[in-house]
Amino acid sequence: MTENGLLQITLYLAALLLLAKPLGLYMAKVYENRPLFLTRLLGPLEAGLYRFSGVDPEQDMRWQDYAAALLWFNLFSGLAVFFLQILQAWLPLNPQHLANVSFDSAFNTAVSFATNTNWQGYSGETTMSYLTQMLGLGVQNFVSAATGMAVLIALVRGFQRTHAAGIGNFWTDLTRGVLYILLPLSFVFALVLVGQGVVQTFKPYQSIPLVEQVSSAATAPAEQTTQTIAIGPAASQIAIKQLGTNGGGFFNANSAHPFENPTPLSNFLEMLAILLIPAALCHTFGAMVGNPRQGWAILAAMTMVFVSLLFVTWGSEQSGNPALASLGVEQSVSVNQAGGNMEGKETRFGIVNSAIWATATGAASNGSVNSMHDSYTPLGGMIPMWLIQLGEVIFGGVGSGLYGMLVFALVAVFVAGLMIGRTPEYLGKKIEAFEMKMASIIILIPAFLILGGTALAVIVDAGKSAIANPGAHGFSEILYAFSSAAGNNGSAFAGLGANTPFYNTALGISMLAGRYGIIIPVLAIAGSLAAKKTVPTTIGTLPTDTPLFAMLLIGTVLLVGALTFVPALALGPVIEHLIMNGTH
Amino acid sequence: MVFNPIKPALLMLMYFSALTGIIYPLIVTFSAQAFLPRQANGSLIIDDNNQALGSELIGQAFSRPEYFWGRPSATSPHPYNAGASSGANQGPANPALLEAVQTRIKALRNADPKNTKPIPVDLVTASASGLDPDISPAAAVFQIERIAAARHLPVPKVQELVKRYTEPRLWRILGEPRVNVLKLNLALDQRLK
């Protein structure tokens, strides 16, 4: 651990917490339909959209109608991405003449982008045409993110309202999220990224004569005299992929690719974008429930878990690979090198920026990477995996992270209520049997998908044959894949050869159940809360805007996460760590 | 009124597809091509004859002793295939990783038997993208004597060149110090403007 590393981490957290507040308050205005400076510019687009699609923006939906609107919209979204992929060879904007995508891979990718997972079973530059990237994947980057945010806002309305039948209007929540939040941020961010060197063009791939004109290795098939450089309309997609906790890269190597993340500055901004909206939404929540401290308590809990786990990843990666030390390889940090475990990492990012990114992307259900998690040290790679397994609530996906965390808050007040023998309340709403049943479903679904899916995959040959690394690490690859899919994260221990009918189907189902199996009960909670009366705060009410509650919340999240997943983690990263350090 | 979400769902998706899937990328492309054409098209290095020598952001494979070598690349079917980026995805305890590292160490030692210094880790471990344009300053310094001998150049001259192409952290804080291998090699060949 170096002084410079500490400085980079401090700067990152400071920028994140500073920007989160104004953005969070702005988003509260957006969703409460208050006038904005952007309304003059984009207001006509919004009104035009409602007219075009025959939507009454004043309609207040019951939770069942809200859910139905969301599901139909997401179904059509998935179908659009699916058909774009299986027809792309006959569609325009395909300068590399890429073939149609296979049915199972197209199904997986369609589900993946509609559910805001952005698991990449495919390799971008060799599979997807420019049109598929823009019109299929790019659009879902926006609307799947806005879907998650809409569900959160609906849940917050459940706390706000009293004796209400409705929880808002899905169409306006979706539209306002895209128009006033995601689109303006992405536009500015995309141009900044181009300035740093991210490509944005419709030209075909470039072919350039190599400087050293010989075959560089005996394994090369023929003499290489030119380098084919993949380019494309990348910046516009990378901006929203980072901001919307999507994470699906334009290129196979994601944000490790120099055209997707060329400089330390682009890296800093892309890392900031991973956590920005999830952190800001805590302030949106605080503002909308009329008590900013409620938002702060949750943001503090998230930040504390994030920072502690970041230090585990950083420390573990910086300590390097004991197997290489014995070979005379210099892994110690100096002014001239980052040192540490550099396998699968880029020179310009070194150890500390790879560790921040890996922890943030695991925490936030973003799933983009700037280094290859499969090559991390056992404990370094365990952290992003465990953050996913905690339920993607430490920041979490845009919207989905906070609605997940609010469900954990309900569980926390329920546990506290049991201890003191009172009916638990949160934000003036009594938490009763229905809410707790829904919360249990929300917590159990991902656990079932992850552990059940992994168990299935290690039994059948189709699951085992995809493993790339032998031993305990191979088990970790599978466990990570199902965690990533069920948690709608999208990052991977990418050695796993998951572009097979078995994994495309199994992970596709996990993504679907992990998304909608949670959204529906969350909306049910929202509907139930909105219908209740608000009880006054008394001396017996557990305050939920205090450091004590933040600690209780952390305890609840970690306890559930640890009890559920420690046995599985012991079979993967833990045992690998013990073997690796025991034999060297 | 019966609630029917099907038609609005379909029309909303069409509208957002046009807005975020066509208009938005077109406006970004137009702005990028108008104001930042060099970056938007891949940051190509152009010589005096208007010939592209490569992209300053994308590494190339070097294996001759008179060039600086970059990070090992795991792209397939050949290293530094910029049409198919990829890392090696080898786990830290994978025997294949140790074997690969040993092969790389051997190649470095064979190219410069006199150099017995410990080898900087980035020179024997595969990058994440397989296209890493940079090596650490330590990895460049490690190779200086080999290049000087192969090119019959005085060592201080190569040292000076390495120093000139060493990029510090941004504002002395962000990222890591690094050396762009392609630019350094082009400078050795005196092909940079």
Side-chain angles (χ1 to χ4, degrees):
Chain A
M1 308 218 180
T2 58
E3 269 175 44
N4 169 267
L6 281 176
L7 192 61
Q8 298 205 46
I9 290 174
T10 312
L11 199 65
Y12 175 68
L13 291 170
L16 175 68
L17 295 176
L18 270 175
L19 290 173
K21 188 159 185 197
L23 178 62
L25 299 182
Y26 169 78
M27 289 195 289
K29 277 191 200 163
V30 169
Y31 286 113
E32 290 185 328
N33 212 351
R34 281 185 269 160
L36 310 158
F37 73 98
L38 276 173
T39 317
R40 291 177 68 126
L41 190 67
L42 300 171
L45 275 179
E46 187 189 357
L49 169 56
Y50 298 148
R51 259 201 313 280
F52 173 75
S53 42
V55 160
D56 171 15
E58 302 299 323
Q59 188 196 7
D60 196 34
M61 298 179 183
R62 298 180 308 144
W63 78 262
Q64 294 92 335
D65 296 337
Y66 200 101
L70 183 152
L71 291 174
W72 277 108
F73 181 77
N74 277 240
L75 174 69
F76 289 134
S77 293
L79 288 174
V81 179
F82 180 78
F83 283 109
L84 274 170
Q85 291 177 86
I86 61 168
L87 301 174
Q88 68 173 10
W90 303 304
L91 295 172
L93 277 178
N94 185 1
Q96 299 310 121
H97 307 292
L98 296 167
N100 290 331
V101 181
S102 72
F103 279 18
D104 59 301
S105 174
F107 161 73
N108 182 282
T109 305
V111 169
S112 164
F113 278 75
T115 56
N116 196 248
T117 309
N118 299 27
W119 168 270
Q120 284 179 274
Y122 61 92
S123 150
E125 63 265 47
T126 56
T127 313
M128 299 296 179
S129 75
Y130 292 171
L131 186 77
T132 309
Q133 296 258 24
M134 282 164 49
L135 195 57
L137 311 185
V139 172
Q140 289 310 310
N141 275 310
F142 281 97
V143 295
S144 71
T147 297
M149 288 154 69
V151 173
L152 168 70
I153 298 302
L155 177 61
V156 174
R157 289 198 191 104
F159 291 110
Q160 277 179 321
R161 296 182 174 184
T162 311
H163 299 303
I167 55 171
N169 183 314
F170 175 69
W171 307 126
T172 58
D173 289 344
L174 175 76
T175 303
R176 297 182 69 80
V178 172
L179 273 187
Y180 297 112
I181 300 168
L182 298 172
L183 201 53
L185 279 175
S186 301
F187 179 69
V188 175
F189 189 30
L191 288 181
V192 172
L193 287 177
V194 175
Q196 289 298 301
V198 178
V199 289
Q200 180 75 25
T201 171
F202 289 107
K203 286 191 201 134
Y205 299 175
Q206 304 284 296
S207 204
I208 292 171
L210 283 171
V211 171
E212 184 184 289
Q213 297 263 355
V214 291
S215 81
S216 50
T219 50
E223 195 172 23
Q224 288 294 319
T225 55
T226 59
Q227 184 179 43
T228 300
I229 300 183
I231 50 178
S236 54
Q237 195 159 323
I238 291 157
I240 181 62
K241 145 210 163 199
Q242 294 303 112
L243 284 163
T245 56
N246 295 285
F250 193 88
F251 300 105
N252 184 46
N254 210 294
S255 274
H257 195 296
F259 279 161
E260 198 153 331
N261 186 6
T263 65
L265 184 61
S266 69
N267 186 67
F268 184 81
L269 296 172
E270 287 185 20
M271 291 198 303
L272 200 58
I274 294 178
L275 294 186
L276 181 61
I277 293 181
L281 282 169
C282 294
H283 292 294
T284 309
F285 162 69
M288 286 180 75
V289 299
N291 180 357
R293 286 168 52 95
Q294 299 285 355
W296 270 116
I298 288 182
L299 184 57
M302 291 175 171
T303 308
M304 264 190 280
V305 175
F306 173 74
V307 173
S308 337
L309 294 181
L310 166 58
F311 276 86
V312 178
T313 311
W314 182 28
S316 187
E317 291 310 297
Q318 190 68 68
S319 67
N321 184 342
L324 299 193
S326 54
L327 300 176
V329 175
E330 183 58 77
Q331 295 186 87
S332 55
V333 60
S334 73
V335 288
N336 272 337
Q337 71 160 7
N341 175 25
M342 281 299 287
E343 173 70 27
K345 296 191 179 62
E346 296 281 295
T347 309
R348 60 196 179 283
F349 308 140
I351 300 298
V352 67
N353 283 295
S354 300
I356 300 175
W357 189 302
T359 314
T361 202
S365 147
N366 183 292
S368 63
V369 294
N370 75 347
S371 57
M372 294 303 141
H373 295 184
D374 212 349
S375 298
Y376 271 44
T377 57
L379 297 186
M382 183 179 78
I383 294 302
M385 176 153 43
W386 194 47
L387 275 163
I388 299 170
Q389 293 165 343
L390 288 180
E392 290 294 15
V393 295
I394 306 305
F395 294 106
V398 290
S400 62
L402 188 53
Y403 65 64
M405 194 57 147
L406 290 174
V407 168
F408 270 103
L410 299 187
V411 175
V413 294
F414 180 76
V415 170
L418 285 182
M419 287 193 275
I420 53 174
R422 271 182 59 97
T423 307
E425 296 158 19
Y426 187 60
L427 301 171
K429 296 285 186 176
K430 280 207 157 66
I431 307 307
E432 293 164 303
F434 180 76
E435 287 78 26
M436 288 319 297
K437 276 184 204 155
M438 292 299 128
S440 309
I441 292 175
I442 289 164
I443 289 171
L444 287 174
I445 283 182
F448 172 77
L449 293 172
I450 295 169
L451 297 175
T454 306
L456 174 71
V458 296
I459 292 169
V460 298
D461 284 334
K464 285 182 286 189
S465 58
I467 290 175
N469 287 284
H473 197 90
F475 177 78
S476 301
E477 288 182 342
I478 294 177
L479 183 62
Y480 198 110
F482 281 95
S483 304
S484 180
N488 295 147
N489 181 285
S491 66
F493 274 14
L496 187 74
N499 195 359
T500 62
F502 172 77
Y503 277 105
N504 280 331
T505 312
L507 296 174
I509 293 169
S510 301
M511 289 188 269
L512 282 173
R515 178 76 164 175
Y516 305 109
I518 288 176
I519 282 183
I520 295 168
V522 165
L523 289 174
I525 292 178
S528 158
L529 292 176
K532 292 186 189 203
K533 65 171 196 249
T534 305
V535 296
T537 309
T538 65
I539 187 129
T541 307
L542 173 75
T544 53
D545 56 356
T546 59
L548 180 69
F549 182 73
M551 297 311 291
L552 183 67
L553 187 56
I554 292 175
T556 311
V557 171
L558 294 188
L559 201 65
V560 171
L563 287 176
T564 316
F565 292 104
V566 160
L569 291 172
L571 293 174
V574 174
I575 206 166
E576 188 189 11
H577 174 79
L578 294 175
I579 291 174
M580 200 173 88
N581 287 280
T583 49
H584 289 284
Chain B
M1 189 183 84
V2 181
F3 178 74
N4 183 358
I6 297 179
K7 192 178 138 214
L10 206 54
L11 294 175
M12 280 256 170
L13 180 64
M14 283 168 62
Y15 190 97
F16 281 125
S17 298
L19 183 67
T20 63
I22 296 173
I23 297 172
Y24 160 71
L26 282 183
I27 294 180
V28 174
T29 309
F30 179 79
S31 317
Q33 293 291 339
F35 301 112
L36 300 156
R38 199 183 72 84
Q39 291 93 327
N41 294 311
S43 304
L44 300 182
I45 304 172
I46 309 287
D47 70 4
D48 295 331
N49 307 323
N50 227 5
Q51 172 70 43
L53 303 175
S55 163
E56 65 173 56
L57 294 176
I58 303 288
Q60 293 188 8
F62 292 98
S63 58
R64 287 201 218 139
E66 67 267 29
Y67 284 120
F68 281 93
W69 299 357
R71 301 285 305 277
S73 161
T75 60
S76 126
H78 53 84
Y80 286 94
N81 176 2
S85 60
S86 172
N89 284 313
Q90 286 169 330
N94 190 339
L97 170 68
L98 302 189
E99 220 169 278
V101 170
Q102 278 165 327
T103 311
R104 293 162 190 158
I105 292 175
K106 205 183 271 173
L108 282 162
R109 295 291 185 212
N110 285 346
D112 187 10
K114 279 179 290 184
N115 188 347
T116 54
K117 287 178 286 192
I119 301 175
V121 61
D122 57 314
L123 217 42
V124 292
T125 47
S127 64
S129 62
L131 306 173
D132 195 339
D134 305 310
I135 50 177
S136 68
V141 169
F142 178 85
Q143 304 182 61
I144 284 176
E145 274 137 49
R146 184 190 80 223
I147 280 99
R151 289 183 177 257
H152 310 292
L153 287 171
V155 169
K157 186 143 189 240
V158 184
Q159 273 171 339
E160 192 212 355
L161 214 52
V162 167
K163 211 168 162 192
R164 195 186 320 154
Y165 283 91
T166 299
E167 226 179 303
R169 290 192 174 99
L170 181 68
W171 311 317
R172 299 184 180 278
I173 299 175
L174 290 184
E176 297 295 331
R178 59 206 192 273
V179 182
N180 187 302
V181 178
L182 179 61
K183 282 205 264 187
L184 180 58
N185 283 334
L186 285 170
L188 278 171
D189 282 353
Q190 298 180 323
R191 290 175 71 188
L192 272 193
K193 269 193 256 191

